[in-house]
């Protein structure tokens, strides 16, 4: 039995958990404030939220800089931690995966449960991250080993499994954006923004669209776009994808092998900026450090189109979820064997 904690902000954590659980040979129990997805293969423990209520009453949520999120006297926090502890006591899991919460990783380890932490790029040497990464049995890095995160301590690197990026669309065959026999048409841009944060205004998007008359823009997510449960057809139809540098959005773009303009957004610990630097090092996409000026869009889109999307295979080889599931199962089997060995 493996427990998998899924953070409730955005969709990336859930998509990653679903992909891993689908490949895992062991039973995976989901633990989250989110409802169980229809395709989840195992049990699901629905947790109370720890971020509702009056923020002025939360107190020092960092506990003097030692934690990331621990609101004081919050019933939801108390309830979710109690439920996780009760589940661990009842099932004695071989491994608890944190994707992502420093506090959940600490709770699991304090209860004697080995933990695996899904790593994130950016500056993670603050005390909470360092503690969680130090105590983890293994670190899952959903990026390639050829583009590591600079500055990691050696003991983190020694227990890191680099899976490459992976998405729910791995295994689907990318379709060409345009059949030449269909005749000429406007080139297509897909602006793919997530639900975990929106740093771009409708005015900026409208200006970019107006300044690139040779391109037809479609938007999913973001400030003025519709949401789609399955953006795969829109991805494959795009000549160029414009997106942020979130792990899930990039993994989906990479699975479709679409040329991309990537605009990292402001995130805690500089996560997306660090991802943008890795993409630049690997020459995988056109990266703009901030939302470009309207007059620059035509040039950027053409640069991305010419660059193409085949180099995405270096970022997302297609078997990342299977690699992650195998690494987690191996860690769980190893710990279970140690627990059952005669003393």
């Amino acid at each position: 039995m493996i427990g998998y904690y899924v953070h409730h902000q955005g969709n990336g954590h859930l998509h990653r958990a679903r992909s891993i659980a689908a490949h895992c040979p062991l039973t995976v129990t989901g633990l989250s404030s989110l409802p169980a997805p229809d395709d989840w293969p195992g049990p699901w423990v629905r947790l109370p939220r720890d971020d509702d209520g009056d923020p002025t009453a939360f107190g020092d949520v960092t506990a003097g800089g030692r934690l990331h999120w621990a609101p004081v006297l919050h019933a939801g926090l108390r309830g979710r931690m109690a439920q996780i502890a009760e589940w661990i006591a009842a099932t004695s899991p071989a491994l608890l995966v944190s994707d992502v919460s420093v506090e959940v990783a600490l709770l699991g380890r304090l209860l004697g449960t080995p933990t695996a932490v899904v790593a994130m790029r950016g500056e993670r040497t603050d005390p909470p991250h360092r503690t969680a990464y130090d105590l983890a049995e293994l670190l899952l890095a959903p990026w390639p080993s050829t583009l590591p995160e600079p500055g990691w301590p050696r003991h983190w690197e020694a227990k890191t499994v680099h899976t490459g990026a992976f998405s729910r669309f791995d295994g689907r065959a990318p379709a060409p954006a345009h059949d030449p026999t269909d005749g000429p048409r406007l080139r297509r841009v897909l602006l793919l923004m997530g639900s975990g944060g929106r740093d771009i205004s409708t005015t900026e998007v409208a200006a970019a669209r107006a300044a690139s008359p040779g391109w037809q823009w479609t938007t999913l997510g973001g400030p003025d776009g519709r949401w789609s449960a399955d953006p795969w057809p829109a991805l494959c139809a795009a000549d160029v994808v414009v997106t942020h540098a979130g792990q899930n959005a990039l993994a989906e773009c990479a699975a479709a092998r679409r040329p991309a303009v990537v605009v990292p957004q402001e995130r805690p610990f500089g996560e997306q900026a660090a991802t943008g630097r890795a993409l630049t090092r690997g020459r995988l996409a056109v990266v703009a450090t901030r939302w470009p000026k309207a007059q620059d869009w035509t040039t950027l889109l053409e640069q991305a189109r010419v660059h193409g999307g085949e180099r995405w295979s270096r970022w997302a080889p297609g078997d990342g979820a299977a690699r992650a599931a195998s690494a987690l199962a191996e860690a769980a089997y190893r710990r279970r064997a140690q627990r059952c060995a005669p003393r």
Side-chain angles (χ1 to χ4, degrees):
M1 170 81 73
I2 291 175
Y4 198 117
Y5 172 79
V6 182
H7 199 282
H8 55 268
Q9 288 188 346
N11 292 300
H13 306 289
L14 180 60
H15 290 327
R16 182 161 48 222
R18 290 168 59 196
S19 298
I20 292 174
H23 286 86
C24 192
L26 298 177
T27 298
V28 181
T29 296
L31 303 134
S32 182
S33 299
L34 296 170
D38 293 338
D39 60 351
W40 188 258
W44 189 271
V45 178
R46 186 77 183 271
L47 304 174
R49 290 185 70 103
D50 61 355
D51 57 357
D52 56 349
D54 180 7
T56 63
F58 287 178
D60 177 13
V61 298
T62 71
R66 296 297 168 179
L67 300 173
H68 285 155
W69 188 258
V72 176
L73 299 177
H74 193 287
L77 175 67
R78 187 164 53 247
R80 71 196 281 111
M81 291 305 194
Q83 279 190 250
I84 294 172
E86 289 170 2
W87 177 79
I88 289 175
T91 64
S92 189
L95 188 71
L96 177 65
V97 183
S98 174
D99 185 4
V100 285
S101 166
V102 165
E103 293 73 29
V104 169
L106 290 174
L107 175 66
R109 187 62 188 86
L110 285 169
L111 293 174
T113 302
T115 64
V117 172
V118 178
M120 302 178 77
R121 288 193 183 270
E123 179 51 62
R124 306 291 170 176
T125 57
D126 59 291
H129 272 118
R130 183 174 286 275
T131 300
Y133 284 27
D134 282 350
L135 62 79
E137 187 87 359
L138 64 88
L139 299 173
L140 281 181
W143 56 80
S145 60
T146 54
L147 292 170
E149 187 62 9
W152 272 24
R154 288 186 178 179
H155 64 284
W156 290 5
E157 295 175 350
K159 59 184 176 182
T160 297
V161 176
H162 289 92
T163 64
F166 55 89
S167 87
R168 54 189 163 154
F169 299 138
D170 288 345
R172 297 192 191 185
H178 176 52
D179 184 345
T181 62
D182 292 340
R185 61 162 175 80
L186 288 177
R187 290 172 178 160
R188 295 172 180 169
V189 181
L190 174 64
L191 176 59
L192 181 66
M193 309 307 291
S195 62
R198 299 171 179 176
D199 295 355
I200 302 167
S201 70
T202 56
T203 301
E204 289 173 315
V205 173
R209 182 184 287 113
S212 50
W215 295 80
Q216 178 183 347
W217 287 63
T218 299
T219 303
L220 292 181
D224 61 352
R226 61 185 174 87
W227 183 251
S228 172
D230 184 3
W232 183 254
L235 279 164
C236 290
D239 293 287
V240 173
V241 176
V242 175
T243 189
H244 55 89
Q247 289 184 7
N248 188 64
L250 292 178
E252 294 187 346
C253 183
R257 301 293 191 257
R258 304 320 304 150
V261 176
V262 178
V263 187
Q265 296 185 343
E266 291 289 336
R267 289 295 182 273
F269 309 103
E271 176 195 350
Q272 291 203 12
T275 301
R277 290 192 291 271
L279 296 178
T280 299
R281 291 198 303 273
R283 296 187 294 114
L284 301 178
V286 174
V287 178
T289 57
R290 62 183 61 85
W291 187 258
K293 296 178 180 178
Q295 62 267 26
D296 295 335
W297 272 107
T298 297
T299 298
L300 289 171
L301 293 172
E302 185 60 22
Q303 285 178 351
R305 189 192 68 81
V306 172
H307 184 277
E310 291 308 311
R311 290 181 65 85
W312 278 123
S313 60
R314 297 184 58 198
W315 185 260
D319 62 350
R323 290 188 192 183
S326 177
L328 295 177
E330 182 180 339
Y333 286 136
R334 182 170 62 249
R335 279 302 185 184
R336 187 165 61 183
Q338 291 173 351
R339 185 166 55 189
C340 296
R343 296 172 182 256

